[in-house]
Amino acid sequence: MKILLSNDDGYQAPGIVALYEAIRDLGDVEVVAPEHNNSAKSNALTLHSPLYVHEAANGFRYVNGTPADCVHVALTGLLGYRPDLVVSGINNGANMGDDTIYSGTVGAAMEGYLFGIPAIAFSQTQKGWAHLDAAARKARELVQHMLATRLDGELPWLLNVNVPNLPYEQLKPAKVCRLGRRHAAEKVISQTSPHGDTMYWIGGAGPAKDDAEGTDFHATMQGHVAVTPLKVDLTDHDGLGSWAQSVAAAGPTRGTGRR
Ligand code: MN
């Protein structure tokens, strides 16, 4: 098995090191990850400056770009082969609900998925790496199981996995969930720079708004590993009919002689 491993916290982050150590014997695992922290970069690609790839002493390769850049470069030339699985993480903090839109951890996995390769994004629900060993062990179990059971399909798949920061023995079984929703993000933080200019810092993510049973928020609060299968089509399928009527009604106004 050939596995491409990336993340968004940077190639030196404890999460990717722990995940590499946990899965390295499951196949040929190659790391291509951002040089610096690229959290919240979603699927951004770097189009207006060159990307460089360097190799660290431990064999990890790092790129002066985004998580999606790393996977994109790896899949379109750097690796020279097509991996069986793209794995991302383990992220320092939750990627649940609306987080998945912004997440670079999910972005790296999604880039693999967009290239037709099954992919899994792993995150711990709290920042700070508490019980990272347990999350890595759970990640290994899931990767091993998916490699054994889910690689023969025609279509790629994309899993978003959030692991509570608990000791291994206290983690409850993996549960398939839908994404919850968060409240709007907290206020922007403004400060005055030493030069007298106003600086703005993006505020924290909002608290959970929809954490009902069946969501990733609910499952992780109960101590479960939350597994959410994702897809990328942003179309509002339920709204297509209603929008078709609205848009048709917005055609040229009759009787004005204008077209
Ligand atoms: Mn991150």
Side-chain angles (χ1 to χ4, degrees):
M1 289 297 172
K2 293 182 168 56
I3 300 171
L4 172 63
L5 176 57
S6 193
N7 76 344
D8 78 357
D9 296 327
Y11 76 103
Q12 296 182 333
I16 196 168
V17 175
L19 186 50
Y20 176 78
E21 292 301 329
I23 65 172
R24 60 185 295 181
D25 68 324
L26 298 180
D28 298 328
V29 184
E30 289 225 55
V31 173
V32 183
E35 182 173 10
H36 301 295
N37 193 323
N38 270 260
S39 296
K41 292 288 172 72
S42 189
N43 270 77
L45 292 176
T46 301
L47 301 182
H48 301 291
S49 58
L51 296 169
Y52 298 94
V53 181
H54 291 101
E55 189 167 331
N58 66 355
F60 287 13
R61 280 184 279 188
Y62 58 92
V63 181
N64 61 329
T66 67
D69 284 332
C70 293
V71 174
H72 195 102
V73 167
L75 297 182
T76 56
L78 181 65
L79 292 184
Y81 61 85
R82 185 180 170 88
D84 301 293
L85 184 71
V86 174
V87 178
S88 177
I90 298 169
N91 187 58
N92 186 21
N95 279 310
M96 301 192 288
D98 313 28
D99 303 338
T100 50
I101 294 291
Y102 300 97
S103 167
T105 306
V106 174
M110 193 176 286
E111 193 68 7
Y113 171 77
L114 292 174
F115 275 87
I117 300 170
I120 313 179
F122 290 102
S123 305
Q124 284 192 293
T125 55
Q126 303 289 326
K127 288 186 196 289
W129 310 116
H131 305 295
L132 179 59
D133 55 330
R137 199 170 150 191
K138 279 288 174 193
R140 176 196 164 84
E141 291 171 9
L142 203 68
V143 167
Q144 191 168 25
H145 186 67
M146 294 306 152
L147 284 175
T149 61
R150 292 298 295 241
L151 285 192
D152 47 4
E154 298 265 306
L155 296 172
W157 40 264
L158 173 60
L159 295 182
N160 182 46
V161 180
N162 283 273
V163 186
N165 298 59
L166 292 169
Y168 182 83
E169 297 71 29
Q170 290 176 33
L171 282 170
K172 294 188 188 158
K175 198 170 184 178
V176 173
C177 306
R178 69 178 173 88
L179 297 178
R181 288 296 305 272
R182 286 189 187 277
H183 285 283
E186 288 168 18
K187 266 185 70 164
V188 74
I189 299 152
S190 64
Q191 293 177 328
T192 304
S193 83
H195 302 294
D197 299 319
T198 304
M199 311 181 288
Y200 295 94
W201 294 86
I202 298 289
K209 180 165 76 174
D210 173 8
D211 56 2
E213 190 160 2
T215 64
D216 45 6
F217 288 107
H218 189 272
T220 53
M221 276 188 296
Q222 306 297 316
H224 289 280
V225 175
V227 178
T228 304
L230 301 180
K231 62 178 184 178
V232 176
D233 183 356
L234 294 177
T235 308
D236 176 6
H237 288 280
D238 294 340
L240 279 177
S242 139
W243 280 111
Q245 288 178 10
S246 293
V247 171
T253 309
R254 289 194 189 88
T256 63
R258 288 187 289 132
R259 287 181 57 83

